[in-house]
Amino acid sequence: MAGVIGCLGHEDFDTAALRQLNAAIALCWWSTYSLHKHRPPELHATGSFQAPDHTRDAFRFYRQGVYRYDQTFEAARERVLHGGAVVTHWHAAELPSEHRDGIYTRHALRERVSLVTAWEEDDLIAISLYRRDEQPAFSDAELDLICGLAPPLIACIESYLRSRRAAARPPACQPAPLAALPRREREVCERLLRGWTHEGIGADLGISAGTVKTYRDRAFERLGIQHRNELFTLALDGLAPPSQA
């Protein structure tokens, strides 16, 4: 898991994290998606390892209609909405024919293990791990290992999703001095202005508190300041409208 966590913040997180997971357990694909009660599912991350990468093609097929009658997450939904997470295990042969033929048979997948947890109101997050036909079936020992990995892996994925959301959310009004900073330094300063701790910033961005301080120091040097209160002053000056003569 240390290797997976170390992939946070990398542009190729999806592929790099799956490579790290394969050091512990053989997987051909993985995908992370949210399941909603009243709208189609959303794909957040995919990756393949030593196998053709048709993960997004498979998800498009699933989203076109299969999800409407997919019952493989219903029992998990009932349990996780009261807290915690559930690990589910499905063989291709157990799935309805359209689901099985359109995804599993088409892409030579034999089975899936999913880590399922609640995500925002009535939504679920599913982290699905796949094996191909040429790979052996998941053993009891491997399933036990996945159950042990579930809590830290889910926490890692949740951090990844929060950081992606924060990066995609444009600031309503960004102080001019911050706009010129490199991305990471700007992200750290934006969170300092919100009153976040170094540890909280690190968790949100997927980096250590020490790395947060490094980015903070670099930003402060560029801005010509030394303390957080000076950052607030600089930000307020940058947001203030020009004075009227």
Side-chain angles (χ1 to χ4, degrees), residues 9 11 167 180-190 205 215:
E11 291 185 2
L181 293 174
R183 180 176 64 88
R184 272 302 195 204
E185 294 174 25
R186 183 176 67 252
E187 290 171 345
V188 167
C189 286
E190 287 170 351
L205 297 180
Y215 284 125

Side-chain angles (χ1 to χ4, degrees), residues 83-106:
V86 173
V87 177
T88 67
H89 179 207
W90 291 88
H91 291 272
E94 300 175 287
L95 302 174
S97 60
E98 185 179 359
H99 191 170
R100 180 179 64 247
D101 295 344
I103 297 178
Y104 289 77
T105 303
R106 181 180 178 186

